[in-house]
Amino acid sequence: MSTTTASSSPSPSAPAEPAEPAGPRLHWRVRFAFLALVWGFSFLFMKVGTRGFAPFQVTLGRLVFGTAVLAVAMAVRRERLPRGARTWGHLAVAGFLLNALPFSLFAYSELTIPSTLAGICNATSPLWGMALSLVALSEDRPTRVRVAGLGLGFLGVLTVLGAWQGFHGLDAGGTAMALLASLSYPVGWIYVRRTLAGSAESHLSLTGGQLLLATVQLAVVTPLFTSVPSRLEAGPLLAIAALGALGTGVAMLVQYGLVAEVGPTTAQMVTYFVPIIAATAGVAVLGEHLGWSTPVGAVVVLAGAALTQVRRPGGGGRPARTRLGKGAARAPREDSARTAPMAAPAMAEAAPQPAPPAPCRPA
């Protein structure tokens, strides 16, 4: 999952932009497609993972594998974890709101709802972000187009849920958890913007610390509410490994490069492909059923979310070069504070900028 600023979607003025790795790289469109595929399949991985493990165990495994990938990346780039108790305190809150809470809610939701519905719920993060920005971010005033997008998006949500049928056949608890998970992303990014903006630490360092603290939180909670599985099944275990290593670790590193190279607006467009891939994977691989209202509503949700990202002409200028923890890098084309977190989830999952990009959106 999960790639939204608090106002755009959960992934959010903050530390400098991520440095671009040296050496030849794949074309950005290839990396964009990879990101969309990984985050789209994250909902399938969660569904498979919960067939052999408790939801908290799925989330803990995801965070362990994701943190391990970032730890390797930090070692290769010779980055260190952040310093200062105040920074660590803010990262603990960010890790809870952007990782531990939404990842767990999505995993629990998929016990009772299809992965396709969870993926579509994840696409509401930009809508929640827009709504929250009206009261939490005084510098981000909405236009009529963006407000119209907000209304259209939530109309799409009602279409997906089949409101005219009284939500017949829908598991209210699971759907509510998926929507709360999507709401958690923009709440987290508003918090990040208010507390970690201007940090001298690099994105990689901050996100590594954030994922580490989220892992510790789940490591404390999981034994209290789950028991050791009687047997380890290969399928669910591999799904969790892919969910963490690819959907949370590698995807986050790919997202950094995209934001630095093509700017946050182009990079966050991956958010609109995630529910499409999640739905396709759920139907093709898991045999899930889609009624007509689900894809139609999803299109309306995505159209509304896209409108909430429309900015006034000339609303942002070219940012100046910013100092990085490990040297200077080319600044992105736009204010990264407007990037979505996705991602969950998840980019998120996932996914998730003046503050570190969301570690994965989809859930």
Side-chain angles (χ1 to χ4, degrees), residues 86-358:
R86 184 181 182 85
T87 298
W88 279 100
H90 291 317
L91 287 177
V93 177
F96 175 74
L97 292 173
L98 291 171
N99 303 108
L101 178 60
F103 289 1
S104 298
L105 285 173
F106 270 121
Y108 269 102
S109 74
E110 293 204 32
L111 291 177
T112 55
I113 67 173
S115 65
T116 54
L117 179 56
I120 293 171
C121 287
N122 181 72
T124 65
S125 284
L127 304 178
W128 295 120
M130 170 66 187
L132 290 172
S133 72
L134 297 179
V135 295
L137 297 175
S138 59
E139 74 276 11
D140 191 13
R141 295 293 84 192
T143 63
R144 291 180 180 178
V145 171
R146 297 179 68 199
V147 172
L150 181 63
L152 181 64
F154 283 114
L155 177 62
V157 172
L158 294 177
T159 303
V160 169
L161 302 182
W164 65 91
Q165 299 174 332
F167 307 108
H168 177 70
L170 186 71
D171 183 83
T175 304
M177 283 190 284
L179 291 173
L180 284 174
S182 301
L183 172 61
S184 183
Y185 287 120
V187 171
W189 283 106
I190 288 176
Y191 179 84
V192 167
R193 288 182 62 173
R194 290 185 174 275
T195 59
L196 292 174
S199 172
E201 306 288 349
S202 71
H203 285 275
L204 182 58
S205 175
L206 286 172
T207 307
Q210 176 182 310
L211 277 187
L212 176 61
L213 290 174
T215 303
V216 171
Q217 292 167 6
L218 262 295
V220 172
V221 170
T222 300
L224 301 179
F225 296 94
T226 66
S227 57
V228 178
S230 57
R231 60 174 182 167
L232 298 178
E233 299 183 36
L237 188 59
L238 289 175
I240 294 172
L243 180 64
L246 295 177
T248 302
V250 174
M252 190 180 306
L253 297 175
V254 172
Q255 184 190 31
Y256 287 155
L258 282 177
V259 171
E261 182 174 346
V262 300
T265 297
T266 300
Q268 78 177 8
M269 290 299 292
V270 71
T271 305
Y272 306 118
F273 291 90
V274 171
I276 298 172
I277 294 173
T280 302
V283 172
V285 180
L286 299 178
E288 296 177 345
H289 174 70
L290 282 181
W292 70 266
S293 63
T294 302
V296 170
V299 171
V300 177
V301 168
L302 294 177
L307 288 177
T308 65
Q309 309 308 303
V310 175
R311 304 283 167 167
R312 289 187 178 91
R318 176 187 289 273
R321 287 181 180 269
T322 49
R323 187 176 66 83
L324 301 177
K326 293 293 181 180
R330 175 171 60 86
R333 297 176 185 174
E334 304 182 36
D335 176 8
S336 34
R338 296 174 177 167
T339 303
M342 209 168 67
M347 345 207 97
E349 307 144 348
Q353 292 131 291

